[in-house]
Amino acid sequence: MAREPEGFRAFVTERSPALLRTAWMLTGDPHTAEDLLQTALARTWPHWSRIRDQHPEAYVRKVMVRTNASWWSRRWRGERPTEDLTAAAARSGDPGQAVARAADPQHAVPEQLDLASALRTLPLRQRQCVVLRHFDDLSVAETARLMGCSDGTVKSQTAKGLASLRAVVEQEEQVS
């Protein structure tokens, strides 16, 4: 069994909450986000000695973006849930519902603005750009480097993604 790389545990402990938020925004699902972060950290571990003194968080984010993209392209999307199971459990009085709410990072967001649902409507590249630029507060150049594309692509995909999100919010306001 290989020894744990020096500083890896401290990095994981310190940066996991922020990285998990990024993973959740990329995937739109708390359980898939945990899987994505675990996979990214597992793929980072063997390279830790090389990257620990550079920008390890950027490396992990890049692994998450690329892994999510590969999962996205392989995942079958023929079946989609029609109801939020957490809400259905709340209506039925399920005692496990409180645990589900506590584990859901979106729980504090008002129902009128379901950001995760709005983000799920975006195509993958637009979602990645919006999350990395506006939730992780990365520059255009940093986002382009992580995604392996040009600055112009990041700018155009971010603009399209934000326009789509605005349309979703406006539509929600009209319904309410």
Side-chain angles (χ1 to χ4, degrees):
M1 184 172 197
R3 283 187 11 186
E4 179 180 307
E6 182 181 328
F8 186 73
R9 183 182 303 255
F11 169 78
V12 170
T13 302
E14 182 180 324
R15 298 309 307 154
S16 282
L19 291 168
L20 184 58
R21 279 190 303 274
T22 300
W24 179 72
M25 293 300 224
L26 289 171
T27 64
D29 175 71
H31 305 293
T32 307
E34 290 173 356
D35 292 344
L36 179 61
L37 179 56
Q38 282 294 97
T39 301
L41 290 172
R43 290 180 178 174
T44 301
W45 187 81
H47 307 285
W48 185 253
S49 61
R50 178 175 48 87
I51 64 167
R52 76 170 167 235
D53 295 329
Q54 296 171 5
H55 299 286
E57 190 167 348
Y59 186 91
V60 174
R61 276 198 179 101
K62 186 172 192 171
V63 172
M64 285 194 314
V65 165
R66 289 183 175 182
T67 302
N68 184 51
S70 74
W71 288 358
W72 180 266
S73 65
R74 293 180 192 171
R75 191 175 312 140
W76 178 66
R77 285 176 184 61
E79 189 174 317
R80 298 207 172 147
T82 58
E83 183 176 15
D84 178 13
L85 298 179
T86 306
R91 286 192 304 276
S92 69
D94 182 8
Q97 183 262 341
V99 173
R101 268 200 331 251
D104 186 1
Q106 168 184 324
H107 173 66
V109 176
E111 287 183 14
Q112 294 82 11
L113 179 60
D114 189 353
L115 187 56
S117 293
L119 282 170
R120 278 193 297 270
T121 66
L122 298 179
L124 179 65
R125 299 288 277 186
Q126 290 178 16
R127 183 184 323 161
Q128 289 173 340
C129 286
V130 169
V131 168
L132 293 172
R133 290 279 294 125
H134 295 284
F135 291 98
D136 287 345
D137 202 26
L138 299 181
S139 70
V140 171
E142 290 170 322
T143 302
R145 191 177 68 248
L146 284 177
M147 292 179 62
C149 62
S150 70
D151 290 2
T153 298
V154 170
K155 291 176 186 178
S156 68
Q157 292 297 300
T158 301
K160 289 175 185 176
L162 290 175
S164 295
L165 287 176
R166 279 188 207 98
V168 169
V169 169
E170 288 171 5
Q171 182 180 359
E172 286 294 322
E173 287 176 351
Q174 290 173 357
V175 171
S176 298

PDB file of all heavy atoms in Angstrom, residues 71-96:
ATOM      1  N   TRP A  71     -18.558  11.887 -18.199  1.00  0.00           N
ATOM      2  CA  TRP A  71     -19.764  11.240 -17.667  1.00  0.00           C
ATOM      3  C   TRP A  71     -20.989  11.714 -18.432  1.00  0.00           C
ATOM      4  O   TRP A  71     -21.881  10.942 -18.746  1.00  0.00           O
ATOM      5  CB  TRP A  71     -19.951  11.559 -16.188  1.00  0.00           C
ATOM      6  CG  TRP A  71     -18.990  10.880 -15.268  1.00  0.00           C
ATOM      7  CD1 TRP A  71     -18.009   9.988 -15.588  1.00  0.00           C
ATOM      8  CD2 TRP A  71     -18.914  11.055 -13.850  1.00  0.00           C
ATOM      9  NE1 TRP A  71     -17.327   9.612 -14.459  1.00  0.00           N
ATOM     10  CE2 TRP A  71     -17.867  10.247 -13.381  1.00  0.00           C
ATOM     11  CE3 TRP A  71     -19.625  11.832 -12.946  1.00  0.00           C
ATOM     12  CZ2 TRP A  71     -17.522  10.178 -12.041  1.00  0.00           C
ATOM     13  CZ3 TRP A  71     -19.290  11.765 -11.608  1.00  0.00           C
ATOM     14  CH2 TRP A  71     -18.239  10.942 -11.161  1.00  0.00           C
ATOM     15  N   TRP A  72     -21.024  13.004 -18.733  1.00  0.00           N
ATOM     16  CA  TRP A  72     -22.159  13.595 -19.433  1.00  0.00           C
ATOM     17  C   TRP A  72     -22.332  12.953 -20.807  1.00  0.00           C
ATOM     18  O   TRP A  72     -23.436  12.640 -21.227  1.00  0.00           O
ATOM     19  CB  TRP A  72     -21.927  15.099 -19.565  1.00  0.00           C
ATOM     20  CG  TRP A  72     -23.025  15.835 -20.256  1.00  0.00           C
ATOM     21  CD1 TRP A  72     -23.106  16.140 -21.581  1.00  0.00           C
ATOM     22  CD2 TRP A  72     -24.198  16.375 -19.663  1.00  0.00           C
ATOM     23  NE1 TRP A  72     -24.245  16.850 -21.846  1.00  0.00           N
ATOM     24  CE2 TRP A  72     -24.938  16.993 -20.681  1.00  0.00           C
ATOM     25  CE3 TRP A  72     -24.703  16.394 -18.361  1.00  0.00           C
ATOM     26  CZ2 TRP A  72     -26.152  17.623 -20.443  1.00  0.00           C
ATOM     27  CZ3 TRP A  72     -25.908  17.031 -18.145  1.00  0.00           C
ATOM     28  CH2 TRP A  72     -26.609  17.630 -19.172  1.00  0.00           C
ATOM     29  N   SER A  73     -21.230  12.759 -21.506  1.00  0.00           N
ATOM     30  CA  SER A  73     -21.333  12.211 -22.860  1.00  0.00           C
ATOM     31  C   SER A  73     -21.693  10.729 -22.858  1.00  0.00           C
ATOM     32  O   SER A  73     -22.237  10.230 -23.829  1.00  0.00           O
ATOM     33  CB  SER A  73     -20.017  12.426 -23.618  1.00  0.00           C
ATOM     34  OG  SER A  73     -18.972  11.693 -23.023  1.00  0.00           O
ATOM     35  N   ARG A  74     -21.435  10.036 -21.775  1.00  0.00           N
ATOM     36  CA  ARG A  74     -21.728   8.598 -21.710  1.00  0.00           C
ATOM     37  C   ARG A  74     -23.082   8.280 -21.085  1.00  0.00           C
ATOM     38  O   ARG A  74     -23.582   7.185 -21.226  1.00  0.00           O
ATOM     39  CB  ARG A  74     -20.657   7.888 -20.882  1.00  0.00           C
ATOM     40  CG  ARG A  74     -19.329   7.904 -21.538  1.00  0.00           C
ATOM     41  CD  ARG A  74     -18.322   7.193 -20.697  1.00  0.00           C
ATOM     42  NE  ARG A  74     -17.000   7.472 -21.225  1.00  0.00           N
ATOM     43  CZ  ARG A  74     -15.897   7.148 -20.619  1.00  0.00           C
ATOM     44  NH1 ARG A  74     -15.926   6.538 -19.473  1.00  0.00           N
ATOM     45  NH2 ARG A  74     -14.734   7.438 -21.156  1.00  0.00           N
ATOM     46  N   ARG A  75     -23.639   9.229 -20.335  1.00  0.00           N
ATOM     47  CA  ARG A  75     -24.854   8.969 -19.574  1.00  0.00           C
ATOM     48  C   ARG A  75     -26.075   8.922 -20.481  1.00  0.00           C
ATOM     49  O   ARG A  75     -26.276   9.775 -21.331  1.00  0.00           O
ATOM     50  CB  ARG A  75     -25.034  10.062 -18.526  1.00  0.00           C
ATOM     51  CG  ARG A  75     -26.095   9.743 -17.520  1.00  0.00           C
ATOM     52  CD  ARG A  75     -26.170  10.765 -16.429  1.00  0.00           C
ATOM     53  NE  ARG A  75     -24.876  11.077 -15.887  1.00  0.00           N
ATOM     54  CZ  ARG A  75     -24.483  12.291 -15.552  1.00  0.00           C
ATOM     55  NH1 ARG A  75     -25.276  13.315 -15.693  1.00  0.00           N
ATOM     56  NH2 ARG A  75     -23.283  12.503 -15.061  1.00  0.00           N
ATOM     57  N   TRP A  76     -26.940   7.938 -20.236  1.00  0.00           N
ATOM     58  CA  TRP A  76     -28.187   7.820 -20.966  1.00  0.00           C
ATOM     59  C   TRP A  76     -29.194   8.763 -20.332  1.00  0.00           C
ATOM     60  O   TRP A  76     -29.338   8.822 -19.116  1.00  0.00           O
ATOM     61  CB  TRP A  76     -28.674   6.380 -20.895  1.00  0.00           C
ATOM     62  CG  TRP A  76     -29.970   6.177 -21.586  1.00  0.00           C
ATOM     63  CD1 TRP A  76     -30.216   6.280 -22.917  1.00  0.00           C
ATOM     64  CD2 TRP A  76     -31.216   5.825 -20.974  1.00  0.00           C
ATOM     65  NE1 TRP A  76     -31.523   6.014 -23.178  1.00  0.00           N
ATOM     66  CE2 TRP A  76     -32.161   5.726 -22.000  1.00  0.00           C
ATOM     67  CE3 TRP A  76     -31.609   5.589 -19.680  1.00  0.00           C
ATOM     68  CZ2 TRP A  76     -33.485   5.397 -21.773  1.00  0.00           C
ATOM     69  CZ3 TRP A  76     -32.926   5.250 -19.445  1.00  0.00           C
ATOM     70  CH2 TRP A  76     -33.843   5.160 -20.484  1.00  0.00           C
ATOM     71  N   ARG A  77     -29.911   9.520 -21.143  1.00  0.00           N
ATOM     72  CA  ARG A  77     -30.852  10.501 -20.616  1.00  0.00           C
ATOM     73  C   ARG A  77     -32.288  10.228 -21.047  1.00  0.00           C
ATOM     74  O   ARG A  77     -33.102  11.136 -21.112  1.00  0.00           O
ATOM     75  CB  ARG A  77     -30.455  11.895 -21.080  1.00  0.00           C
ATOM     76  CG  ARG A  77     -29.278  12.386 -20.323  1.00  0.00           C
ATOM     77  CD  ARG A  77     -28.828  13.712 -20.855  1.00  0.00           C
ATOM     78  NE  ARG A  77     -27.625  14.150 -20.196  1.00  0.00           N
ATOM     79  CZ  ARG A  77     -26.485  13.531 -20.192  1.00  0.00           C
ATOM     80  NH1 ARG A  77     -26.354  12.410 -20.805  1.00  0.00           N
ATOM     81  NH2 ARG A  77     -25.446  14.008 -19.553  1.00  0.00           N
ATOM     82  N   GLY A  78     -32.611   8.996 -21.337  1.00  0.00           N
ATOM     83  CA  GLY A  78     -33.957   8.676 -21.798  1.00  0.00           C
ATOM     84  C   GLY A  78     -35.004   8.755 -20.709  1.00  0.00           C
ATOM     85  O   GLY A  78     -36.162   9.028 -20.971  1.00  0.00           O
ATOM     86  N   GLU A  79     -34.634   8.544 -19.487  1.00  0.00           N
ATOM     87  CA  GLU A  79     -35.587   8.537 -18.385  1.00  0.00           C
ATOM     88  C   GLU A  79     -35.290   9.714 -17.461  1.00  0.00           C
ATOM     89  O   GLU A  79     -34.158   9.912 -17.039  1.00  0.00           O
ATOM     90  CB  GLU A  79     -35.417   7.221 -17.615  1.00  0.00           C
ATOM     91  CG  GLU A  79     -36.459   6.963 -16.595  1.00  0.00           C
ATOM     92  CD  GLU A  79     -36.271   5.579 -15.996  1.00  0.00           C
ATOM     93  OE1 GLU A  79     -36.004   4.635 -16.747  1.00  0.00           O
ATOM     94  OE2 GLU A  79     -36.376   5.479 -14.777  1.00  0.00           O
ATOM     95  N   ARG A  80     -36.302  10.494 -17.149  1.00  0.00           N
ATOM     96  CA  ARG A  80     -36.120  11.657 -16.290  1.00  0.00           C
ATOM     97  C   ARG A  80     -37.186  11.653 -15.211  1.00  0.00           C
ATOM     98  O   ARG A  80     -38.363  11.423 -15.503  1.00  0.00           O
ATOM     99  CB  ARG A  80     -36.248  12.945 -17.096  1.00  0.00           C
ATOM    100  CG  ARG A  80     -35.165  12.993 -18.152  1.00  0.00           C
ATOM    101  CD  ARG A  80     -34.827  14.382 -18.494  1.00  0.00           C
ATOM    102  NE  ARG A  80     -33.653  14.317 -19.364  1.00  0.00           N
ATOM    103  CZ  ARG A  80     -33.414  15.147 -20.323  1.00  0.00           C
ATOM    104  NH1 ARG A  80     -34.234  16.128 -20.553  1.00  0.00           N
ATOM    105  NH2 ARG A  80     -32.341  15.028 -21.049  1.00  0.00           N
ATOM    106  N   PRO A  81     -36.798  11.929 -13.972  1.00  0.00           N
ATOM    107  CA  PRO A  81     -37.806  11.983 -12.915  1.00  0.00           C
ATOM    108  C   PRO A  81     -38.772  13.132 -13.164  1.00  0.00           C
ATOM    109  O   PRO A  81     -38.380  14.197 -13.638  1.00  0.00           O
ATOM    110  CB  PRO A  81     -36.995  12.210 -11.637  1.00  0.00           C
ATOM    111  CG  PRO A  81     -35.661  12.653 -12.077  1.00  0.00           C
ATOM    112  CD  PRO A  81     -35.468  12.197 -13.484  1.00  0.00           C
ATOM    113  N   THR A  82     -40.040  12.902 -12.837  1.00  0.00           N
ATOM    114  CA  THR A  82     -41.046  13.933 -13.064  1.00  0.00           C
ATOM    115  C   THR A  82     -41.396  14.681 -11.794  1.00  0.00           C
ATOM    116  O   THR A  82     -42.101  15.664 -11.838  1.00  0.00           O
ATOM    117  CB  THR A  82     -42.328  13.319 -13.638  1.00  0.00           C
ATOM    118  OG1 THR A  82     -42.801  12.327 -12.728  1.00  0.00           O
ATOM    119  CG2 THR A  82     -42.065  12.708 -14.996  1.00  0.00           C
ATOM    120  N   GLU A  83     -40.909  14.215 -10.649  1.00  0.00           N
ATOM    121  CA  GLU A  83     -41.231  14.854  -9.388  1.00  0.00           C
ATOM    122  C   GLU A  83     -40.001  14.880  -8.499  1.00  0.00           C
ATOM    123  O   GLU A  83     -39.192  13.959  -8.512  1.00  0.00           O
ATOM    124  CB  GLU A  83     -42.347  14.075  -8.690  1.00  0.00           C
ATOM    125  CG  GLU A  83     -42.806  14.701  -7.406  1.00  0.00           C
ATOM    126  CD  GLU A  83     -43.979  13.951  -6.789  1.00  0.00           C
ATOM    127  OE1 GLU A  83     -44.246  12.819  -7.194  1.00  0.00           O
ATOM    128  OE2 GLU A  83     -44.600  14.508  -5.893  1.00  0.00           O
ATOM    129  N   ASP A  84     -39.865  15.946  -7.719  1.00  0.00           N
ATOM    130  CA  ASP A  84     -38.783  16.046  -6.741  1.00  0.00           C
ATOM    131  C   ASP A  84     -39.106  15.079  -5.606  1.00  0.00           C
ATOM    132  O   ASP A  84     -40.084  15.275  -4.878  1.00  0.00           O
ATOM    133  CB  ASP A  84     -38.663  17.479  -6.231  1.00  0.00           C
ATOM    134  CG  ASP A  84     -37.590  17.642  -5.176  1.00  0.00           C
ATOM    135  OD1 ASP A  84     -36.768  16.720  -4.993  1.00  0.00           O
ATOM    136  OD2 ASP A  84     -37.565  18.709  -4.537  1.00  0.00           O
ATOM    137  N   LEU A  85     -38.302  14.035  -5.449  1.00  0.00           N
ATOM    138  CA  LEU A  85     -38.590  13.015  -4.445  1.00  0.00           C
ATOM    139  C   LEU A  85     -38.471  13.540  -3.030  1.00  0.00           C
ATOM    140  O   LEU A  85     -39.155  13.074  -2.129  1.00  0.00           O
ATOM    141  CB  LEU A  85     -37.672  11.804  -4.653  1.00  0.00           C
ATOM    142  CG  LEU A  85     -37.851  11.095  -5.994  1.00  0.00           C
ATOM    143  CD1 LEU A  85     -36.888   9.926  -6.114  1.00  0.00           C
ATOM    144  CD2 LEU A  85     -39.279  10.628  -6.181  1.00  0.00           C
ATOM    145  N   THR A  86     -37.633  14.540  -2.803  1.00  0.00           N
ATOM    146  CA  THR A  86     -37.517  15.141  -1.479  1.00  0.00           C
ATOM    147  C   THR A  86     -38.825  15.822  -1.105  1.00  0.00           C
ATOM    148  O   THR A  86     -39.310  15.690   0.010  1.00  0.00           O
ATOM    149  CB  THR A  86     -36.361  16.160  -1.434  1.00  0.00           C
ATOM    150  OG1 THR A  86     -35.170  15.515  -1.874  1.00  0.00           O
ATOM    151  CG2 THR A  86     -36.161  16.705  -0.044  1.00  0.00           C
ATOM    152  N   ALA A  87     -39.422  16.545  -2.059  1.00  0.00           N
ATOM    153  CA  ALA A  87     -40.701  17.211  -1.800  1.00  0.00           C
ATOM    154  C   ALA A  87     -41.813  16.181  -1.594  1.00  0.00           C
ATOM    155  O   ALA A  87     -42.675  16.354  -0.729  1.00  0.00           O
ATOM    156  CB  ALA A  87     -41.043  18.143  -2.955  1.00  0.00           C
ATOM    157  N   ALA A  88     -41.785  15.104  -2.365  1.00  0.00           N
ATOM    158  CA  ALA A  88     -42.796  14.067  -2.203  1.00  0.00           C
ATOM    159  C   ALA A  88     -42.681  13.415  -0.825  1.00  0.00           C
ATOM    160  O   ALA A  88     -43.682  13.118  -0.175  1.00  0.00           O
ATOM    161  CB  ALA A  88     -42.652  13.014  -3.306  1.00  0.00           C
ATOM    162  N   ALA A  89     -41.460  13.198  -0.360  1.00  0.00           N
ATOM    163  CA  ALA A  89     -41.247  12.619   0.960  1.00  0.00           C
ATOM    164  C   ALA A  89     -41.744  13.558   2.047  1.00  0.00           C
ATOM    165  O   ALA A  89     -42.301  13.136   3.048  1.00  0.00           O
ATOM    166  CB  ALA A  89     -39.767  12.303   1.171  1.00  0.00           C
ATOM    167  N   ALA A  90     -41.567  14.862   1.845  1.00  0.00           N
ATOM    168  CA  ALA A  90     -42.035  15.842   2.830  1.00  0.00           C
ATOM    169  C   ALA A  90     -43.551  15.805   2.938  1.00  0.00           C
ATOM    170  O   ALA A  90     -44.103  15.894   4.035  1.00  0.00           O
ATOM    171  CB  ALA A  90     -41.565  17.242   2.437  1.00  0.00           C
ATOM    172  N   ARG A  91     -44.237  15.655   1.818  1.00  0.00           N
ATOM    173  CA  ARG A  91     -45.698  15.597   1.833  1.00  0.00           C
ATOM    174  C   ARG A  91     -46.196  14.326   2.497  1.00  0.00           C
ATOM    175  O   ARG A  91     -47.229  14.311   3.129  1.00  0.00           O
ATOM    176  CB  ARG A  91     -46.245  15.693   0.413  1.00  0.00           C
ATOM    177  CG  ARG A  91     -46.146  17.079  -0.168  1.00  0.00           C
ATOM    178  CD  ARG A  91     -46.951  17.205  -1.453  1.00  0.00           C
ATOM    179  NE  ARG A  91     -46.575  16.231  -2.471  1.00  0.00           N
ATOM    180  CZ  ARG A  91     -45.564  16.390  -3.324  1.00  0.00           C
ATOM    181  NH1 ARG A  91     -44.829  17.476  -3.278  1.00  0.00           N
ATOM    182  NH2 ARG A  91     -45.296  15.481  -4.238  1.00  0.00           N
ATOM    183  N   SER A  92     -45.430  13.245   2.354  1.00  0.00           N
ATOM    184  CA  SER A  92     -45.874  11.975   2.921  1.00  0.00           C
ATOM    185  C   SER A  92     -45.472  11.820   4.383  1.00  0.00           C
ATOM    186  O   SER A  92     -45.841  10.848   5.021  1.00  0.00           O
ATOM    187  CB  SER A  92     -45.303  10.806   2.111  1.00  0.00           C
ATOM    188  OG  SER A  92     -43.902  10.729   2.301  1.00  0.00           O
ATOM    189  N   GLY A  93     -44.719  12.769   4.926  1.00  0.00           N
ATOM    190  CA  GLY A  93     -44.338  12.705   6.334  1.00  0.00           C
ATOM    191  C   GLY A  93     -43.217  11.715   6.601  1.00  0.00           C
ATOM    192  O   GLY A  93     -43.111  11.159   7.688  1.00  0.00           O
ATOM    193  N   ASP A  94     -42.382  11.453   5.626  1.00  0.00           N
ATOM    194  CA  ASP A  94     -41.271  10.518   5.768  1.00  0.00           C
ATOM    195  C   ASP A  94     -40.278  11.029   6.806  1.00  0.00           C
ATOM    196  O   ASP A  94     -39.788  12.151   6.701  1.00  0.00           O
ATOM    197  CB  ASP A  94     -40.572  10.359   4.414  1.00  0.00           C
ATOM    198  CG  ASP A  94     -39.423   9.377   4.434  1.00  0.00           C
ATOM    199  OD1 ASP A  94     -39.241   8.688   5.451  1.00  0.00           O
ATOM    200  OD2 ASP A  94     -38.705   9.309   3.416  1.00  0.00           O
ATOM    201  N   PRO A  95     -39.939  10.232   7.847  1.00  0.00           N
ATOM    202  CA  PRO A  95     -38.998  10.702   8.867  1.00  0.00           C
ATOM    203  C   PRO A  95     -37.589  10.925   8.330  1.00  0.00           C
ATOM    204  O   PRO A  95     -36.836  11.697   8.895  1.00  0.00           O
ATOM    205  CB  PRO A  95     -39.011   9.590   9.916  1.00  0.00           C
ATOM    206  CG  PRO A  95     -39.578   8.399   9.228  1.00  0.00           C
ATOM    207  CD  PRO A  95     -40.449   8.907   8.116  1.00  0.00           C
ATOM    208  N   GLY A  96     -37.222  10.307   7.238  1.00  0.00           N
ATOM    209  CA  GLY A  96     -35.896  10.501   6.660  1.00  0.00           C
ATOM    210  C   GLY A  96     -35.782  11.802   5.886  1.00  0.00           C
ATOM    211  O   GLY A  96     -34.713  12.203   5.462  1.00  0.00           O
TER     212      GLY A  96
END
